[in-house]
């Protein structure tokens, strides 16, 4: 009997970006019946069912108020998502199904572990980061002690060993946790790549944890070395955090000061797939100075895409990104988190640009060989007894 695949992706909102590429990558290798996405998703696809409640983070000033409101909202969303997934399961027939929950992070881990799975269904979820919510950690511990969690016929996949260790310690040994590859896609737009590389590039939304403040610190020096492409998309949910106020202010001031500087291309929107490929192909270097405190065991989609397209990268020591560069090559690891160190890393790559581009291409080939959708599918299939 054919095993049917049902996908859940609660984070996707549009046709471009990591979550969109993530779904496309998975759909390329599984025979999927339907995909459940948030109601505010602007993608209209025949397989999509827009039935999930969107997660809209809210931030409040004042520690006590912020914590209380955050806890209440996450509790509400945990129960809401649990109800939605349980409803999805109840609609499935008696045929064998793999219910693949593509992104299970923070409060959704509680929903994942509480949902009851019948004999004909195997539930596989993936978490891309360590559990950071204190509320979620506390609730999981309480539910675990009360023996309310359901472990049967479900597996939680984690993109790194650090994340897997984190969840195993919180949820207990009863939960089947496994490390899974990230499903990067083979570049299929070589003909769309730009001409000779001309930019030093930062891609992604403007966030402190991604080192955007360090980019601003280095801007004056960087523009003396090359044209710059700086994507400064402000994620409405994350940029409203109180701790991001300084970044938002600095970015506004910097853009005002450089408004007539043709050497800097500011991009405050989301790139289409074609535009993204063109920017990668036009880049000499991709800057990824992510904070070690947030990316010690956390995957970066842009790192893999840069290497797969043969673009050298600069990353921070103590991160998952640094582990990949040290293992595969294709870039420079900043030993210290300073503007001087970042500028020095740029100089190293520019001095031997052709050598680094060749190394990045080789690194990308080796990296993709173990991080692709087919490898991920194999892990999922092998996790269950069909």
């Amino acid at each position: 009997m054919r095993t049917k695949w049902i996908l859940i992706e609660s984070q996707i909102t549009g046709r471009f970006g990591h979550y969109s590429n993530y779904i496309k990558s998975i759909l390329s290798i599984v025979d999927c019946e339907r995909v459940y996405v948030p109601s505010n998703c602007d993608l209209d696809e025949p397989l999509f069912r827009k039935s999930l409640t969107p997660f809209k983070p809210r931030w409040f000033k004042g520690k006590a108020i912020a914590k209380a409101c955050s806890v209440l909202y996450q509790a509400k969303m945990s129960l809401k998502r649990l109800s939605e997934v349980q409803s999805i399961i109840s609609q499935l027939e008696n045929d064998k199904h793999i219910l693949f929950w593509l992104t299970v992070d923070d409060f959704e881990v509680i929903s994942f572990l509480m949902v009851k799975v019948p004999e004909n269904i195997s539930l596989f979820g993936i978490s891309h980061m360590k559990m950071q919510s204190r509320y979620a950690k506390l609730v999981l511990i309480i539910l675990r002690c009360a023996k309310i969690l359901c472990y049967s016929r479900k597996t939680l996949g984690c993109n790194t060993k650090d994340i897997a260790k984190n969840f195993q310690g919180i949820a207990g040994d009863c939960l089947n946790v496994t490390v899974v590859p990230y499903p990067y896609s083979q570049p299929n737009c070589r003909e769309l790549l730009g001409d000779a590389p001309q930019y030093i590039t930062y891609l992604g939304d403007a966030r402190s944890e991604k080192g955007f403040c360090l980019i601003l610190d280095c801007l004056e020096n960087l523009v003396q070395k090359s044209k710059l492409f700086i994507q400064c998309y402000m994620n409405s949910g994350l940029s409203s955090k109180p701790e991001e106020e300084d970044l938002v202010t600095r970015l506004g001031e910097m853009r005002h000061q450089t408004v007539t500087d043709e050497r800097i291309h500011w991009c405050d929107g989301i790139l289409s797939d074609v535009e993204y490929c063109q920017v990668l192909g036009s880049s000499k270097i991709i800057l990824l100075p992510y904070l070690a405190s947030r990316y010690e065991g956390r995957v970066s989609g842009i790192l893999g895409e840069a290497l797969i397209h043969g673009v050298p990268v600069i990353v921070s020591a103590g991160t998952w990104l640094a582990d990949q560069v040290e293992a595969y090559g294709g870039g420079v690891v900043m030993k210290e988190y300073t503007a001087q160190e970042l500028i020095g890393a740029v100089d190293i790559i520019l001095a031997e640009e052709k050598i680094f581009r060749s190394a990045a291409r080789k690194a990308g080939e080796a990296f993709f060989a173990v991080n692709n959708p087919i490898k991920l599918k194999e892990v999922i299939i092998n996790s269950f007894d069909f």
Side-chain angles (χ1 to χ4, degrees):
M1 182 183 296
R2 181 175 67 92
T3 299
K4 302 174 182 178
W5 289 70
I6 305 293
L7 305 187
I8 299 174
E9 177 50 85
S10 58
Q11 301 295 323
I12 187 172
T13 57
R15 63 181 62 254
F16 304 122
H18 288 313
Y19 292 111
S20 175
N21 292 336
Y22 191 25
I23 285 186
K24 292 174 185 176
S25 178
I26 299 301
L27 289 177
S28 70
I29 49 92
V30 302
D31 184 12
C32 182
E33 283 196 339
R34 52 191 178 275
V35 182
Y36 290 90
V37 298
S39 58
N40 64 341
C41 178
D42 65 10
L43 256 174
D44 292 315
E45 298 288 345
L47 290 177
F48 282 19
R49 305 290 186 272
K50 299 181 182 181
S51 61
L52 301 179
T53 302
F55 176 59
K56 298 177 181 178
R58 298 172 174 85
W59 312 103
F60 302 86
K61 292 185 178 180
K63 291 185 178 180
I65 295 176
K67 287 181 180 179
C69 292
S70 177
V71 166
L72 289 173
Y73 183 62
Q74 289 185 66
K76 173 185 173 182
M77 285 301 300
S78 297
L79 295 175
K80 185 67 176 176
R81 191 72 78 231
L82 172 62
S83 174
E84 291 170 346
V85 176
Q86 205 72 67
S87 176
I88 292 171
I89 290 175
S90 68
Q91 297 171 29
L92 301 181
E93 300 174 353
N94 293 326
D95 296 337
K96 288 187 176 181
H97 289 84
I98 291 179
L99 185 58
F100 185 11
W101 194 338
L102 275 69
T103 304
V104 181
D105 288 326
D106 267 351
F107 73 88
E108 290 188 312
V109 176
I110 296 171
S111 311
F112 177 86
L113 290 175
M114 289 186 68
V115 69
K116 295 181 180 179
V117 183
E119 289 296 318
N120 63 306
I121 295 174
S122 298
L123 176 60
F124 194 98
I126 293 185
S127 185
H128 307 283
M129 63 183 73
K130 293 180 180 180
M131 182 171 286
Q132 298 169 359
S133 166
R134 292 181 180 178
Y135 151 76
K137 289 181 181 179
L138 177 60
V139 171
L140 273 184
I141 293 172
I142 294 173
L143 294 177
R144 175 184 168 188
C145 293
K147 298 183 179 180
I148 296 176
L149 302 181
C150 304
Y151 298 113
S152 61
R153 303 200 62 77
K154 63 180 67 172
T155 297
L156 184 64
C158 302
N159 289 132
T160 69
K161 293 180 180 178
D162 286 341
I163 299 174
K165 184 178 179 181
N166 174 253
F167 281 107
Q168 199 79 74
I170 296 171
D173 295 334
C174 295
L175 174 63
N176 184 23
V177 177
T178 186
V179 178
V180 298
Y182 191 91
Y184 290 98
S185 297
Q186 186 74 275
N188 55 3
C189 51
R190 292 286 188 189
E191 70 278 5
L192 299 175
L193 299 183
D195 299 324
Q198 54 181 318
Y199 295 115
I200 294 175
T201 299
Y202 172 90
L203 289 169
D205 48 355
R207 302 213 309 260
S208 297
E209 68 176 29
K210 291 191 172 185
F212 196 80
C213 290
L214 187 63
I215 302 293
L216 295 179
D217 292 341
C218 298
L219 206 65
E220 186 176 343
N221 281 316
L222 289 173
V223 80
Q224 303 298 324
K225 303 176 184 297
S226 169
K227 290 183 177 180
L228 306 180
F229 185 98
I230 309 294
Q231 188 176 18
C232 52
Y233 168 67
M234 301 301 294
N235 183 304
S236 59
L238 295 170
S239 61
S240 60
K241 280 185 174 183
E243 57 264 35
E244 296 289 3
E245 287 182 355
D246 180 57
L247 184 151
V248 174
T249 301
R250 288 189 61 196
L251 174 59
E253 293 173 349
M254 189 64 72
R255 293 196 64 176
H256 179 72
Q257 294 169 11
T258 60
V259 68
T260 60
D261 195 334
E262 296 182 352
R263 298 170 299 174
I264 305 177
H265 182 102
W266 296 99
C267 173
D268 54 11
I270 299 175
L271 297 170
S272 70
D273 294 344
V274 172
E275 291 168 336
Y276 189 74
C277 285
Q278 289 174 333
V279 172
L280 281 176
S282 299
S283 299
K284 300 176 180 180
I285 303 169
I286 300 294
L287 303 176
L288 298 166
Y290 294 1
L291 296 180
S293 59
R294 298 304 298 271
Y295 282 85
E296 178 185 6
R298 184 173 166 188
V299 171
S300 161
I302 295 175
L303 174 100
E305 289 157 359
L307 293 179
I308 290 170
H309 282 82
V311 186
V313 297
I314 294 176
V315 301
S316 311
T319 61
W320 173 88
L321 297 84
D323 293 342
Q324 309 316 302
V325 171
E326 290 169 350
Y328 297 101
V332 174
V333 177
M334 297 165 47
K335 301 303 181 185
E336 298 179 0
Y337 199 80
T338 63
Q340 182 178 0
E341 185 78 5
L342 178 59
I343 296 298
V346 168
D347 289 337
I348 291 172
I349 293 179
L350 292 181
E352 299 183 312
E353 190 174 340
K354 290 184 178 180
I355 294 176
F356 271 96
R357 289 190 72 83
S358 177
R361 281 193 293 271
K362 292 179 181 178
E365 292 172 359
F367 184 80
F368 179 75
V370 295
N371 290 281
N372 62 70
I374 294 177
K375 291 290 186 182
L376 175 58
K377 181 181 179 181
E378 290 175 357
V379 172
I380 296 174
I381 294 295
N382 292 333
S383 296
F384 301 109
D385 182 20
F386 292 105

